């Protein structure tokens, strides 16, 4: 199910191979990864980022969203495991404290 979630995120978000400014003007790359202050010091706008690094970022970002979704379906007593992919996507897009 988790692999399906990763594929869902990449399909919906895309996987951009260079640093760009998102609609809010934040440096972003890969599958919607917002660059940290440290990463902004390492990468410039338009600079390409390796697939290995982008995949690492996806794994790190997706894990946070997935874990939040697992907790939320437990808290809400939802039985549908398929719902976790949709809820995880919401957490990925809006952050884990969107509620």
């Amino acid at each position: 199910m988790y692999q399906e979630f990763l594929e869902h995120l990449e399909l919906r978000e895309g996987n951009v191979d260079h640093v760009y400014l998102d609609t809010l003007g934040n440096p972003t790359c890969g599958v919607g990864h917002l660059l940290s202050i440290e990463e902004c010091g390492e990468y410039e706008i338009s600079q390409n980022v390796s697939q290995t690094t982008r995949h690492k970022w996806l794994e790190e970002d997706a894990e946070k969203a997935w874990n939040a979704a697992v907790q939320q379906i437990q808290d809400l007593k939802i039985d549908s495991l398929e719902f976790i992919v949709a809820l995880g996507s919401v957490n990925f897009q809006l952050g884990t404290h969107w509620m």
Side-chain angles (χ1 to χ4, degrees):
M1 181 75 60
Y2 185 71
Q3 187 59 40
E4 179 184 334
F5 174 60
L6 292 177
E7 292 168 6
H8 172 80
L9 291 176
E10 192 162 4
L11 179 65
R12 290 193 56 135
E13 298 286 323
N15 192 335
V16 181
D17 66 354
H18 61 277
V19 178
Y20 64 95
L21 297 177
D22 70 5
T23 58
L24 298 176
N26 298 311
T28 305
C29 186
V31 183
H33 175 74
L34 297 177
L35 273 64
S36 68
I37 293 171
E38 294 80 21
E39 292 163 347
C40 286
E42 188 175 343
Y43 299 100
E44 296 179 12
I45 303 302
S46 299
Q47 183 175 348
N48 284 347
V49 177
S50 73
Q51 174 62 31
T52 302
T53 299
R54 295 190 328 261
H55 184 73
K56 179 179 95 52
W57 288 342
L58 173 59
E59 287 282 345
E60 292 169 353
D61 296 342
E63 183 177 6
K64 293 173 194 169
W66 180 265
N67 290 338
V70 167
Q71 184 62 55
Q72 291 161 357
I73 65 167
Q74 289 172 350
D75 293 345
L76 297 169
K77 297 177 179 37
I78 296 173
D79 293 333
S80 171
L81 290 180
E82 290 79 22
F83 190 71
I84 195 169
V85 172
L87 192 54
S89 182
V90 171
N91 282 291
F92 189 85
Q93 273 290 322
L94 300 178
T96 58
H97 300 291
W98 63 271
M99 299 183 341

